[in-house]
Amino acid sequence: MITSSLNNKNNIQQHHSVTSEDNNSSMKWTDFLSSINYSERIFSFNLSKRKKRIFCCFCNNNADGSSNGSSVISFFEYLFSFITIINILLLLFILQGLFGLSSSFILLYTAGDSVLKNTRQFQQIQIQLFVNHELTEFIETTSLMAEHLKYQLKHLPFNLRDDISWIRLFQYYFTIYSDPINSVYFSKRNDEFIMLTKEDSTYSLKRSNATNYLEWRKLNLTEQISYDYFEKRETFQVDDTPFYPTSRSWFKFYFEKNNTFTRWTDLFVSIRGQWGFTLTMPVYVNKTVTNNTFIESPIYEDKSNINPDTLYGIIGIRLNLNGINDFLNRTFSEDLDFVMIINSKADIIGVSSRHSRNDSGLVEGLALKEIKELDLLSWIGRPLFANNSDNTISIGNETHFVLSGDNFGVIDVQFTVITDSYGLDWAVVIGVPIKTFGEEIFGGSGVISLVVFIIVFVLGMSTLLITVKVISIPLHKIYKQMVDLVRFKGIYKHENNRLSVFYDVRNMQKSIKAMKRGIRTFTRYVPEIIVKHSMNSKESSEYGKIGMSLRHMSVLFIDITNFTILVETTDTTTFLTIITEYFSAMCQVIENNQGLVDKFIGDAVMAFFNESSFPIENHEIQACQTALDTFKVLHELNANWKLCGYPELDIHIGINSGNMLCGNIGSDNRMNFTVVGYAVNIASRLEVLNKTFNERILIGKDTYEKVKDKFICYFVDYIVLKGKDKGIPIYSVICDIKDATELQIELCKNLETIYRLLISFEFKKMTDLCKTLYEKSHCKIVENLLNRSIVLRHLKETTEITVKDIALKNEE
C-alpha cells in the first residue's frame, strides 16, 4: 500500500535543491509545485484533405486548467509542411517538362515563318501540278473529240440530214470519250435539234419535233438504232417548253460575218437552268441553206463559201462542270483558302473554298461574293489571256502576289493562265492564307496539334504523377505511421500492411513495426501517459525529469479479497489466466471512464482521474462510475469462470478526492509517474476498511460531496485513521440514483441525518432513528451505528466526551 504523505515534502524539496521559505517568503512550496507544468502541444492538421489550417499552440496550464498564454505558428511554417522530397521531385519533373516545352516552342517560333513559307509554296506547287494535269486531260479530251469529228465529216461519207446517222455517230464517240463530256448535240439552222446526254450512269436522247418541243427517252449506247426508231412515239416523253436553238447565244455567234471558227462558248445557262460551257463547231455546206440544194458533205477547205448564208448547223460538245468541281473539291485541303478556275471575264468555272464549298458541283451565280471581293483581274490585267494560235494547250503566264482584306485576311495567290487554239481563256487561281507561326499554332488546324500536344503532355505528366504517387504512397504511409506514433495512435491496432517492393521502404516499414512492438511493450511497464508525454513533448527530455505539481484529482484503489488464498490454491496456468483477464477488464473499465492506470501493486490496481493531460470536469463522478462498472464486469467474468471451473473473485474499492501531487518521482536513473499525498493515503485506507465494515465501495468526504446527487451513498461511520488525530466520515456507494428503490433513498437520507446527530452528540435521537431504520431494512450499517449510539450514550452519561471520542479508531 502507499504510505507516502505530505510529511515527505521536505525530502522532495531536498531532491530539487529547493528549501522551504518562512512565512514572509515570496514563494511557497505549493506555489513552487504548481509552477512545475508541462507545455501541451495542440496539433491540428489533416494532411490528406488539406481542409484545415495549421495551428500550433503552446499553452501553460495552471493547476486549475487556465492558460497563461498562447502563440500561433507563422504562415511560413505552414508552407514548410509542403516541402517534402516527393513534392520536390514532382516539381522538378514538371519544371523539366515546362522547360522542354518552352525551348521547343522558341526553336520552332524562330524558324517557324521560314518553314511555313516553304510549306505554303510547296502546297501551291503541288496543287498547281495536280489541277493543271486534270485540266489538261479535261481540255485535251474535248479537243481530240472535236478534231475527230472534223475528220469524220471531212473524209468519210456522212448524211447531214439523217438523224439516225447523227445518233449512231454520238453513240460511237461516247464509247470513246465518256469523260469529261456531258453531252454532244447537232443543231440545224431550221431549229431541228438532236442531242445525246450523259446523266449520271445513264444516257438519254433528245430530239425536237415539228412543233419545236423536245422529245426524249433513255438510250443504251449499245442499242441498235433503226430507221423506224422515231416512229415509236410512245417511248418518248415531251417537254412542256418549246426550244429554239437559233435563239441561243452560242448559235447567234455564227450569224456574224467573221465568226466562222471553232470556239469555246462563254458560260451560259441552259433551258433547264443549268450552267454550261461548250465547244462549238460550225458546219457549212456548198450552197445557200435556204435553197436546200446542197450536197451531203460539209465544206472545210473552200474558205470562199464559208459565210453565215452557208451555215447548216452547229455541233456542240458540252463539258461536265460537275467533274471540274469534283476534282477541285478533291484537291482542296483545309490549309488552303480557295482553289478556283476563272475565265477572262471573271466568270467562275469551278471553285472550292473554305468560305463556301459547292458540293453539288454547280456554281450558283457568276461568282462567289468572297471570291469577287478579291477582284483578281484588277491585279493581273486582261493581257494575260492571249489566244494560242498553236493547236496545243498552253500553261504559263504565272503570276504570284499577295492580297489582304478585312473579310479574308492575308492570302498568297498564285495565278496560272491556261489557253488553247479554240480561244480557251481559263486561269487556275490558288489562294493560301498567310499565317504567322503563332496564328498557325493557336488557330485553325494548329489548335488541334496544340490540343494533341497538350493531351500528350498531360498524359505524360499524369504517368509521371502516377509513378511518383506509387513511390510516395508507401512513404506517406510511413510518415503517417510516424505521426501516429508521436501522437500515440494506433499503437495497439493490428495492421497487416503489405511490405513495399522497394527495398529501403520495406526496411523502414519493418523498423516501424518493431518500434510499435517496443512501444506496446514499454507501455505495459510504464503508464501510457508518460509515453505520450515523452513522445509529444516539445523537448525530448521534458518528461524525463523529476517534478510534481499540485492538482485536485480523484484516486481509486481496487483490491482482490483473499488474494493470498487464491494464489496458494490455484495452479499456475489457471491463476495466470484469471488474473490476466481480471486486470485487462479492470484497466479497460478505467480507461472507458477517462481514468489512467498508475500501477499494479500486487493484486491491487491504482488509478487516478483528472491528470493535466486528460482533464475531467466531474472526475469524482467518473471515479465512482468506474467502481460500479467494475462490479458489473466482474459479475460477467465470474459467470464465465464458473463455467470453466475456475474460482470466482471478489473485490473491494476505495476512492478519495482532493489536492495531491502528480508527476515524476524517484531517482535520477529510475522514476515513477504517480500521485502522492494525504488524499491518496485515505483512498488506500478506505479500500482496506471495506473488510471491516463488510462493504464494497468506500469513498471519502470530499468525493461524497460531489457525487451525492448522482449516486446513492450510505453514511458508514466517523473514523480516525491510523496516525491521525482528526476523524473523517466515510460513505459506501450503493448504486446510481436513477436505479435506487424508495427504501434505498430513505436510508440514504436518514443515514446522513444519523451522521449529523452523531457529530452533535445527540445519541438518544440517533439510537431511536437507528432502531426505526433497522426494523425496516435490517441494514448492517444501521446495525453498527445502532450499537455505536448505545455505547456513546452510555459513555456520555458517565464521562464528558469530545469529538475525538466519538470517532471510531482504526489501527489498520
Side-chain angles (χ1 to χ4, degrees), residues 267-403:
L267 198 64
F268 65 89
V269 182
S270 68
I271 60 174
R272 295 181 179 273
Q274 299 175 336
W275 291 94
F277 198 83
T278 305
L279 180 65
T280 57
M281 298 168 31
V283 178
Y284 296 92
V285 293
N286 59 355
K287 296 292 183 179
T288 302
V289 174
T290 56
N291 295 331
N292 286 327
T293 57
F294 55 86
I295 62 175
E296 283 74 9
S297 298
I299 298 174
Y300 284 100
E301 298 294 339
D302 190 358
K303 301 294 183 179
S304 61
N305 290 328
I306 296 177
N307 57 70
D309 293 331
T310 60
L311 178 66
Y312 180 74
I314 295 175
I315 300 173
I317 304 173
R318 184 175 175 179
L319 292 184
N320 184 1
L321 294 186
N322 288 342
I324 294 178
N325 283 280
D326 286 342
F327 84 75
L328 288 180
N329 286 335
R330 292 196 305 270
T331 303
F332 186 81
S333 67
E334 295 300 328
D335 295 328
L336 301 176
D337 192 274
F338 61 84
V339 178
M340 66 178 176
I341 301 172
I342 65 174
N343 60 16
S344 59
K345 296 181 180 180
D347 297 330
I348 297 179
I349 310 302
V351 65
S352 182
S353 169
R354 63 185 176 92
H355 301 286
S356 178
R357 296 290 298 276
N358 196 336
D359 295 330
S360 66
L362 297 179
V363 180
E364 301 295 338
L366 293 178
L368 297 177
K369 178 182 178 182
E370 294 86 350
I371 303 302
K372 270 204 164 184
E373 286 181 354
L374 298 178
D375 195 13
L376 294 176
L377 297 181
S378 66
W379 283 82
I380 58 178
R382 299 295 180 103
L384 285 175
F385 294 95
N387 289 333
N388 184 10
S389 59
D390 298 331
N391 292 326
T392 59
I393 299 173
S394 175
I395 301 176
N397 292 332
E398 184 175 307
T399 304
H400 193 87
F401 52 92
V402 176
L403 294 178

Side-chain angles (χ1 to χ4, degrees), residues 598-731:
D598 182 354
K599 60 174 70 70
F600 299 108
I601 309 171
D603 62 317
V605 180
M606 178 181 175
F608 48 81
F609 300 80
N610 197 35
E611 195 271 336
S612 60
S613 298
F614 298 92
I616 306 172
E617 184 176 356
N618 299 316
H619 54 86
E620 296 90 351
I621 294 177
Q622 291 298 114
C624 293
Q625 186 63 53
T626 301
L628 293 175
D629 290 345
T630 55
F631 280 98
K632 293 178 183 179
V633 173
L634 183 63
H635 177 74
E636 296 175 0
L637 290 175
N638 282 330
N640 294 332
W641 291 336
K642 186 176 182 180
L643 294 176
C644 298
Y646 295 163
E648 300 180 14
L649 298 183
D650 191 16
I651 59 175
H652 296 122
I653 299 175
I655 301 173
N656 192 38
S657 304
N659 291 332
M660 55 191 76
L661 295 174
C662 178
N664 289 326
I665 189 172
S667 66
D668 291 336
N669 298 324
R670 190 175 184 85
M671 291 175 292
N672 182 24
F673 188 87
T674 186
V675 290
V676 296
Y678 179 60
V680 179
N681 293 339
I682 291 177
S684 177
R685 301 287 179 85
L686 292 177
E687 183 275 315
V688 176
L689 286 175
N690 278 291
K691 299 178 183 178
T692 303
F693 293 99
N694 196 24
E695 294 298 325
R696 301 188 309 169
I697 306 171
L698 290 181
I699 63 176
K701 175 68 174 177
D702 291 340
T703 305
Y704 169 75
E705 292 297 333
K706 295 292 184 179
V707 303
K708 62 183 179 181
D709 295 330
K710 172 68 176 175
F711 302 101
I712 294 296
C713 300
Y714 291 169
F715 168 69
V716 176
D717 209 334
Y718 185 75
I719 65 173
V720 176
L721 297 176
K722 182 179 180 181
K724 304 298 177 183
D725 296 329
K726 186 178 179 181
I728 59 170
I730 60 175
Y731 296 84

